[in-house]
Amino acid sequence: MSRLGVEIGIVIGGGNIFRGVAPGAAGMDRATADYMGMLATVMNCARAPGRDAPGGISSRALSALNIEQVVEPYIRGKAIRYLEEGKIVIFAAGTGNPSSRPTPPQRCAAARWAPRS
């Protein structure tokens, strides 16, 4: 796809690990539940970077939470550079802000790397 000029960005979820609205979060304050959900997204994307996708396309994971030992921090210019290099960019931790209502993944991803000119 990248050879065709297509830039690929993936917004990762964490519902398979933790859901803030699930019974396991009962009695937990909202911010803590939100952060646990964001950490779940980081856990899901931590495996992917460095591994080549089918066809030899490499990927980089970027997180709105700063956990540099696990995943690179999200920096807009870095995300754009990776996309321009033909790498798949994997976005984790949503906006990094607890208490903000989740946006549809398409809007979240689009807001991160567009517009560029």
Side-chain angles (χ1 to χ4, degrees):
M1 294 296 279
S2 63
R3 284 173 238 151
L4 300 173
V6 175
E7 295 173 339
I8 302 169
I10 301 169
V11 178
I12 294 292
N16 60 316
I17 297 171
F18 182 83
R19 289 193 187 278
V21 296
M28 185 180 298
D29 71 272
R30 176 62 191 262
T32 300
D34 288 348
Y35 276 120
M36 289 181 70
M38 286 185 261
L39 288 169
T41 70
V42 172
M43 291 169 62
N44 278 336
C45 81
R47 179 190 170 278
R51 296 180 181 261
D52 287 339
I57 301 171
S58 64
S59 63
R60 302 299 287 197
L62 304 176
S63 171
L65 293 177
N66 289 328
I67 312 172
E68 293 182 46
Q69 295 88 340
V70 179
V71 64
E72 292 182 60
Y74 169 76
I75 299 170
R76 185 176 182 271
K78 187 183 286 191
I80 291 169
R81 187 178 76 240
Y82 289 151
L83 290 167
E84 290 172 346
E85 291 172 356
K87 295 177 179 160
I88 296 170
V89 177
I90 304 167
F91 297 100
T95 64
N97 300 309
S99 308
S100 65
R101 295 303 321 153
T103 60
Q106 297 84 0
R107 280 193 289 173
C108 183
R112 287 186 165 184
W113 73 71
R116 287 198 243 164
S117 50

